[in-house]
Amino acid sequence: MLFVQVSKGVDGRRVRGEQRRSELLRATLTVIERDGVAGVSHRAVAASADVSVASITYHFPTLDDLLIGALAWAAEDLAAELHERGSELGARPADELARLIEHNVVRRRGRTLALYELYLYAARRPELRDTAQGWLEPLTEIARAFTADPQKARLLVAALDGLLMQALIGAGEVDRTDLAALLEVLR
């Protein structure tokens, strides 16, 4: 009897499915950037992704599924970016943090607004809170570079969150001297 060993390769359908999910979540963030969370519908995301509504409802049967997926995907995306930037803090951390905030307020303004919309949406939805808190981890990791005290690290994250929000609404500019003073207080 002859036995043929079949190698387990990558399931192409699964890969294509994950790619499609990522495309749909990216399109969802695009809709949120443009219209806010209130503007998200299967139809709006389908138009943005240039796919059928059936394609979206196959992967995300409800709007909650779509928004939960978008929040988790955006949190992972932000974590990857912050991890990369956090490793570049260098000798002048206040300057680097100011650049990080400026980058998220100027170059990625739409994406940052979309993330905050999802973040605030999670405040009203208990089932989303764990996912929303997941995006605080990369910020906390960066904060730990400045202080070993967990309480001070949480306070730094809260301060950075507030600075980002204030910069988004135009209530204040990113001031490197303020960041330097904040870091000094929280060391």
Side-chain angles (χ1 to χ4, degrees), residues 61-181:
T62 68
L63 283 180
D64 272 354
D65 294 333
L66 187 59
L67 290 170
I68 289 167
L71 179 61
W73 188 80
E76 288 173 17
D77 183 53
L78 179 66
E81 180 183 347
L82 290 177
H83 180 72
E84 180 181 314
R85 289 184 168 274
S87 64
E88 301 170 355
L89 287 176
R92 300 182 60 110
D95 290 346
E96 295 302 322
L97 284 175
R99 275 194 278 283
L100 175 64
I101 292 170
E102 186 176 58
H103 172 77
N104 282 288
V105 170
V106 176
R107 291 185 187 91
R108 288 183 54 133
R109 181 179 180 76
R111 177 59 53 92
T112 303
L113 281 169
L115 291 173
Y116 272 106
E117 285 226 24
L118 286 167
Y119 194 45
L120 291 172
Y121 180 72
R124 294 184 182 273
R125 306 296 301 269
E127 66 274 15
L128 296 178
R129 290 183 185 152
D130 286 342
T131 304
Q133 288 174 353
W135 81 348
L136 296 175
E137 276 309 305
L139 280 174
T140 305
E141 218 173 282
I142 290 172
R144 286 186 190 118
F146 301 103
T147 179
D149 183 332
Q151 181 184 27
K152 289 181 178 182
R154 284 192 309 276
L155 290 171
L156 178 55
V157 169
L160 292 173
D161 233 357
L163 288 169
L164 265 169
M165 187 66 86
Q166 288 178 7
L168 282 171
I169 64 170
E173 290 186 22
V174 180
D175 186 331
R176 286 169 173 77
T177 59
D178 287 345
L179 280 171

Side-chain angles (χ1 to χ4, degrees), residues 14-32:
R14 180 169 286 171
V15 170
R16 285 189 302 278
E18 287 303 312
Q19 287 173 338
R20 176 54 53 101
R21 281 179 59 84
S22 290
E23 290 168 9
L24 296 175
L25 294 172
R26 194 173 295 112
T28 303
L29 285 178
T30 299
V31 171
I32 296 170

Side-chain angles (χ1 to χ4, degrees), residues 35-51:
D35 303 326
V37 169
V40 174
S41 68
H42 284 104
R43 197 171 302 284
V45 174
S48 179
D50 197 26
V51 299

